Every structure is written in C-alpha cells, then in structure tokens.
C-alpha cells in the first residue's frame, strides 16, 4: 500500500498510465485530496472501478492528534502527533496578524547533536516521508478549519539530512495541485550541511534558507554544534553566497543567545564583522531553557546590546518573540516529556 501524499503529480500520472488509466485521473485525485476530501468514495468524478483500484493500492496517511496544548499567553498551539508505527513528532501553530504559521518536523529525533536542543537527545529515530511532512499541515488545517499560509521547517530534525523527501515536500506543498502555499512563505532551517546547501541552490527555489549559526567562530560553534567539526563557518558562508547568487534570496542567520556562552559584546562585534555586506538578516533567539542542560537565557539588556551592535554593522536584526513559553514550545521538549510520562512505549501506540 502506498501513501498518496508521497506522490507528486507526475508520479501519480505515471502510476495511472502504468495501470491502464488515463493520466489526467492523477490530477483529479490529488485535487480532491488537497481540497480536503480523503475518502476515495467521495471523489465524485472518479469511476467506480478506479475507486476500487485506489482502495487496493493507496491510503491517505494522516497522523493522529495525540494531544493539543494551547498557550494561555499568546494562543500558540502545540500538536503532539503520532504515526502508525508509534513514533511521535511535534508541530506548532502560531497565529499572527498576517496569517497562520506552522513549524513542522522533518525527522523523528535528530542526529545533529546541537547541545541546546531537546530533539536530539536520543539521536535520530528515522526520517519522515514526504507525506508525513505534508500531513502535519493538513491535519492542523483540518483541526482549526482555517488555512495555513506560512511554513517553517524548524521542528525536530535536520531538513537537509532528509533531503530527497524534503525537496519533494517543497514541490507538493507549493504546487497549484497541492496545498498551494507559495515558496516565499516557506523557510527551511538548517544547521549548515554545506554540500546540500549547494544542491538546494541549484534547484533555484524561492524559499528562505535559515542557517542556525549560533556562534561567530568555529571554536565557539564546536562547543554547541557538533556539525561545526565537519564544516567551517567560512564554508557555510561561501555556500550561502552561492545560494544568494542563484536565487537572489536573502539568507537568515539564526543566533540562539545563551547567557555567558555567546551573548557578549565581543561576540556581537565579531558576528557583525563576519556578516557585514552580505544579503542577510539575523534572527536572535533567546534560548529556551530545558532541564536536560544548564544553558541559561540571556538578560534583556544583553539581547538589546547584541542587537544594537549588529545594527551598527548595517545588518538587519530581529529578536524572535517567545511563543508558547508555557507549553514546552521548544522543539523536542513536548515529545520527550510525553514519552517520559507514558513509561511504557506501548502506551503511545494505538
Ligand atoms: S537544532 Fe535542529 S539540527 Fe540541531 S539538533 Fe535540534 S533539530 Fe537537530
């Protein structure tokens, strides 16, 4: 059995042809699905024999909503979602004036080992399929009965470590036949897997790439991000310049501020020097404190000073507003605390 959400239009048309059907049926079926009709019997223009074939060969794989936590502070909703193999992931819905935005996961767990992140504590369990990445948006849209217009691939997992499935996801989510969410409304966040940034650039998509930089020197970066042992900051910046030259898109650099680790004035000056003149934007993220490590959030004053110094270097800066601080909104926290309270793995299956 195949998950229909794993299929691009071209792939489904090819399947139709191989199975003695007209290719245009592929378009009809996908347009039903992405309009929200997931039962083959309800697809009015599909002949009964094909409905039968679809039932024999396909399913529409949607995750189960295990829990929904809503922030009393800002209305952010965190969804704990379960797949049929018992694995759990998190997706976070944030409501802004300009529309609904969702932060989705691309892997169960993560292999990258960033010290400040709860998603990686038990390593990577597995990649999510294209359909599993897409279905996070669909299940949340169904739940709130509203459209989602912005996507960030910033939940658990390193998107470029699941490259092929993520590329296919980007095609379907932005296609007219799919969820039709414009690529300019999609941000992919990576810890900096250099060869994949070049590959992505060559696709010439119009998504925003966000690099989790978090330090201005390789030595400092190595302290918090093991990926820094593989690729230097200079190699990452070179790949970013290539991305900009191919796409003309501004790069976002994510910088999680950790008290007394990377939030000093000297750090800000060095970062400003490093990025000066580049088509980029820095997003400062006051780190979420998790009980698995000792990192502390920077003071308000340190955050303001850091931001000011970058601005003095001509760099655009924003400070991420904390969303859902009362609901374990940092990536990976909810899944871990849920699993810990379930004690027996079998209880999270159904
Ligand atoms: S921050 Fe991202 S890349 Fe780093 S461990 Fe967490 S999920 Fe993986």
């Amino acid at each position: 059995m195949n998950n229909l959400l794993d299929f691009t239009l071209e792939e489904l048309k090819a399947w139709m042809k191989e199975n003695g059907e007209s290719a245009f049926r592929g378009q009809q079926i996908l347009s039903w699905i992405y309009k929200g009709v997931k039962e083959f019997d309800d697809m009015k223009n599909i002949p009964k024999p094909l409905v039968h074939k679809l039932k024999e060969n396909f399913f529409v794989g949607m995750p189960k909503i295990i829990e929904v936590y809503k922030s009393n502070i800002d209305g952010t909703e965190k969804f704990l979602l379960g797949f049929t193999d018992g694995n759990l992931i998190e997706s976070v819905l944030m409501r802004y004036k300009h529309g609904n935005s969702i932060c989705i996961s691309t892997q169960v767990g993560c292999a990258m080992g960033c010290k400040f992140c709860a998603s990686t504590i038990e390593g990577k369990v597995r990649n999510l399929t294209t359909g599993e990445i897409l279905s996070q948006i669909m299940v949340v849209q169904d739940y709130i009965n509203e459209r989602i217009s912005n996507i960030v691939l910033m939940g658990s997992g390193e998107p470029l470590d699941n490259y092929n499935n993520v590329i296919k996801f980007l095609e379907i989510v932005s296609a007219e036949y799919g969820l039709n969410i414009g690529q300019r409304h999609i941000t992919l966040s990576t810890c900096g897997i250099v060869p994949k940034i070049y590959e992505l650039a060559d696709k010439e998509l119009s998504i925003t790439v966000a690099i989790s930089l978090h330090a201005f020197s390789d030595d400092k970066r190595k302290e918090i991000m093991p990926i820094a042992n593989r690729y230097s900051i200079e190699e990452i910046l070179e790949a970013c310049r290539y991305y900009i030259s191919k796409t003309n898109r501004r790069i976002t650099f994510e910088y999680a501020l950790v008290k007394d680790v990377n939030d000093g004035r000297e750090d800000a000056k060095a970062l400003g020097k490093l990025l000066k003149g580049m088509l980029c934007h820095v997003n400062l993220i006051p780190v979420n404190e998790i009980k698995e490590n000792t990192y502390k959030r920077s003071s308000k004053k340190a955050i303001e000073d850091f931001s000011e110094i970058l601005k003095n270097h001509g760099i655009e800066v924003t400070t991420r507003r904390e969303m859902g601080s009362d609901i374990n909104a940092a990536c990976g926290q909810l899944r871990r605390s849920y699993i810990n309270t379930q004690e027996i793995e079998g209880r999270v299956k159904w």
Side-chain angles (χ1 to χ4, degrees), residues 25-306:
R25 296 291 182 198
Q27 171 95 43
Q28 288 179 323
I29 292 160
L30 291 187
S31 84
W32 279 116
I33 285 173
Y34 292 109
K35 257 191 273 167
V37 177
K38 299 183 195 80
E39 294 299 329
F40 299 131
D41 284 319
D42 297 336
M43 299 179 178
K44 302 285 179 234
N45 53 4
I46 306 298
K48 288 289 169 246
L50 178 53
V51 168
H52 187 67
K53 244 187 226 177
L54 290 174
K55 284 183 185 171
E56 279 183 339
N57 291 283
F58 293 102
F59 64 97
V60 181
M62 298 292 278
K64 182 170 174 167
I65 298 178
I66 308 284
E67 303 269 5
V68 182
Y69 302 82
K70 187 165 186 169
S71 163
N72 292 321
I73 300 171
D74 53 34
T76 294
E77 282 172 88
K78 185 143 193 173
F79 294 79
L80 185 66
L81 304 175
F83 295 109
T84 46
D85 64 356
N87 276 309
L88 301 171
I89 54 148
E90 300 166 28
S91 311
V92 182
L93 174 76
M94 291 151 292
R95 295 173 184 276
Y96 297 107
K97 279 196 199 95
H98 59 266
N100 294 320
S101 183
I102 190 168
C103 175
I104 56 175
S105 297
T106 52
Q107 296 176 320
V108 180
C110 183
M112 297 297 135
C114 303
K115 293 261 174 64
F116 48 83
C117 175
S119 295
T120 194
I121 290 166
E122 277 135 16
K124 176 171 111 177
V125 179
R126 69 171 174 86
N127 283 334
L128 294 184
T129 65
T130 297
E132 287 171 336
I133 304 171
L134 266 172
S135 64
Q136 296 168 61
I137 303 164
M138 296 167 73
V139 80
V140 173
Q141 281 192 154
D142 288 352
Y143 180 84
I144 61 175
N145 203 17
E146 286 173 39
R147 187 177 146 75
I148 287 170
S149 52
N150 285 279
I151 304 166
V152 284
L153 285 80
M154 210 180 271
S156 60
E158 162 53 57
L160 297 185
D161 186 40
N162 184 12
Y163 185 81
N164 292 340
N165 291 342
V166 166
I167 291 296
K168 213 155 108 166
F169 159 79
L170 292 172
E171 174 185 332
I172 300 172
V173 80
S174 60
E176 269 182 44
Y177 71 79
L179 288 178
N180 202 8
I181 299 173
Q183 288 182 1
R184 284 170 186 276
H185 298 274
I186 302 173
T187 298
L188 180 152
S189 172
T190 174
C191 64
I193 302 183
V194 167
K196 294 293 176 193
I197 298 173
Y198 282 100
E199 264 186 67
L200 186 64
D202 286 335
K203 298 261 173 215
E204 298 186 22
L205 304 177
S206 41
I207 61 168
T208 298
V209 166
I211 306 284
S212 300
L213 195 63
H214 306 317
F216 64 85
S217 76
D218 289 322
D219 286 344
K220 278 222 168 193
R221 201 163 184 257
K222 281 176 195 169
E223 284 173 25
I224 50 176
M225 300 179 74
I227 190 76
N229 294 302
R230 294 250 305 275
Y231 305 111
S232 69
I233 292 178
E234 196 36 55
E235 286 172 314
I236 294 173
L237 295 185
E238 206 40 53
C240 289
R241 288 185 201 105
Y242 182 74
Y243 188 87
I244 294 166
S245 74
K246 295 292 278 190
T247 62
N248 209 20
R249 301 284 296 161
R250 186 177 75 164
I251 298 276
T252 295
F253 290 100
E254 306 279 353
Y255 195 96
L257 285 167
V258 185
K259 187 172 192 280
D260 299 334
V261 174
N262 65 357
D263 68 343
R265 296 179 66 84
E266 293 310 311
D267 299 63
K269 282 183 202 160
L271 183 65
K273 231 167 113 187
L274 196 67
L275 301 180
K276 201 172 166 81
M278 194 168 179
L279 181 61
C280 73
H281 155 251
V282 173
N283 193 17
L284 298 176
I285 309 162
V287 80
N288 275 300
E289 294 178 11
I290 58 173
K291 66 174 183 306
E292 288 83 358
N293 66 38
T294 55
Y295 291 137
K296 292 277 171 254
R297 167 178 287 258
S298 302
S299 69
K300 202 162 169 251
K301 170 88 172 73
I303 297 168
E304 281 166 8
D305 285 354
F306 204 98

